[in-house]
Amino acid sequence: MDERIGSGDGFVLKNHGPIIGGKTIMDAFYGIEELEESAKMAWYLRKEPDDVYDRIGK
């Protein structure tokens, strides 16, 4: 399992959700914010590219 973890600060556990670490609580907070925004963009861009701008508010 160690080889799959690598040096990442965050993990998404199947049937549980994200776990984010950081040197401070604010580092962890920024990490979860980054994960949320990345997931949102991936969701918007998954298909139907013509209406992406409508979904993200132009």
Side-chain angles (χ1 to χ4, degrees), residues 13-57:
L13 301 177
K14 184 177 180 180
N15 297 323
H16 291 283
I19 295 177
I20 304 292
K23 291 183 180 183
T24 66
I25 192 71
M26 288 308 293
D27 287 343
F29 175 77
Y30 292 135
I32 198 71
E33 288 290 311
E34 182 72 27
L35 177 62
E36 181 180 359
E37 288 301 314
S38 297
K40 192 183 298 184
M41 287 280 94
W43 179 259
Y44 289 151
L45 297 173
R46 72 192 188 289
K47 58 183 175 179
E48 304 152 9
D50 294 336
D51 67 348
V52 166
Y53 293 111
D54 293 332
R55 289 187 270 166
I56 60 174

Side-chain angles (χ1 to χ4, degrees), residues 2-13:
D2 290 335
E3 65 273 0
R4 288 184 282 163
I5 293 175
S7 63
D9 291 331
F11 308 96
V12 178
L13 301 177

